[in-house]
Coordinates of all heavy atoms in Angstrom, one line a residue:
V540 N 3.3 -2.6 10.6 CA 2.8 -1.3 10.1 C 1.8 -0.6 11.0 O 1.8 0.7 11.1 CB 2.1 -1.4 8.7 CG1 3.0 -2.0 7.7 CG2 0.8 -2.2 8.8
F541 N 1.1 -1.3 11.9 CA 0.2 -0.6 12.8 C 0.9 0.3 13.8 O 0.5 1.4 14.1 CB -0.8 -1.6 13.5 CG -2.0 -1.9 12.7 CD1 -2.0 -2.7 11.6 CD2 -3.2 -1.2 13.0 CE1 -3.2 -3.0 10.8 CE2 -4.4 -1.4 12.2 CZ -4.3 -2.3 11.2
P542 N 2.1 -0.2 14.3 CA 2.8 0.7 15.2 C 3.3 2.0 14.5 O 3.3 3.1 15.1 CB 4.0 -0.1 15.7 CG 3.5 -1.5 15.6 CD 2.6 -1.5 14.4
K543 N 3.6 1.9 13.2 CA 4.1 3.0 12.4 C 2.9 4.0 12.2 O 3.1 5.2 12.2 CB 4.7 2.5 11.1 CG 6.0 1.7 11.3 CD 6.5 1.3 9.9 CE 7.7 0.4 10.0 NZ 8.3 0.0 8.7
L544 N 1.8 3.4 11.9 CA 0.6 4.3 11.7 C 0.2 5.0 13.0 O -0.1 6.2 13.0 CB -0.6 3.4 11.3 CG -0.6 3.0 9.8 CD1 -1.7 1.9 9.6 CD2 -0.8 4.1 8.9
A545 N 0.3 4.3 14.1 CA 0.0 4.9 15.4 C 1.0 6.0 15.7 O 0.7 7.1 16.2 CB 0.0 3.9 16.5
G546 N 2.3 5.8 15.4 CA 3.4 6.7 15.7 C 3.2 8.0 14.8 O 3.7 9.1 15.2
L547 N 2.7 7.9 13.6 CA 2.6 9.0 12.7 C 1.4 9.9 13.1 O 1.3 11.0 12.7 CB 2.4 8.5 11.3 CG 2.4 9.5 10.1 CD1 3.6 10.4 10.1 CD2 2.2 8.8 8.8
S548 N 0.4 9.3 13.8 CA -0.8 10.0 14.2 C -0.6 10.7 15.5 O 0.2 10.3 16.4 CB -2.0 9.1 14.2 OG -1.8 8.1 15.1
R549 N -1.4 11.8 15.8 CA -1.4 12.5 17.0 C -2.9 12.5 17.5 O -3.8 12.2 16.8 CB -0.9 13.9 16.8 CG 0.4 14.0 16.2 CD 0.6 15.4 15.5 NE -0.4 15.6 14.5 CZ -0.6 16.7 13.8 NH1 0.3 17.7 14.0 NH2 -1.5 16.9 12.9
P550 N -3.1 12.8 18.8 CA -4.4 12.9 19.3 C -5.3 13.8 18.4 O -4.9 14.9 18.1 CB -4.3 13.5 20.7 CG -2.9 13.1 21.1 CD -2.1 13.1 19.9
G551 N -6.4 13.3 18.0 CA -7.3 14.0 17.1 C -7.1 13.7 15.6 O -8.0 14.0 14.8
D552 N -6.0 13.1 15.2 CA -5.7 12.8 13.8 C -6.5 11.5 13.5 O -6.8 10.6 14.4 CB -4.3 12.5 13.6 CG -3.4 13.8 13.6 OD1 -4.0 14.9 13.5 OD2 -2.2 13.7 13.8

Side-chain angles (χ1 to χ4, degrees):
V540 300
F541 272 81
K543 296 179 182 181
L544 284 169
L547 184 58
S548 61
R549 306 157 303 179
D552 290 340

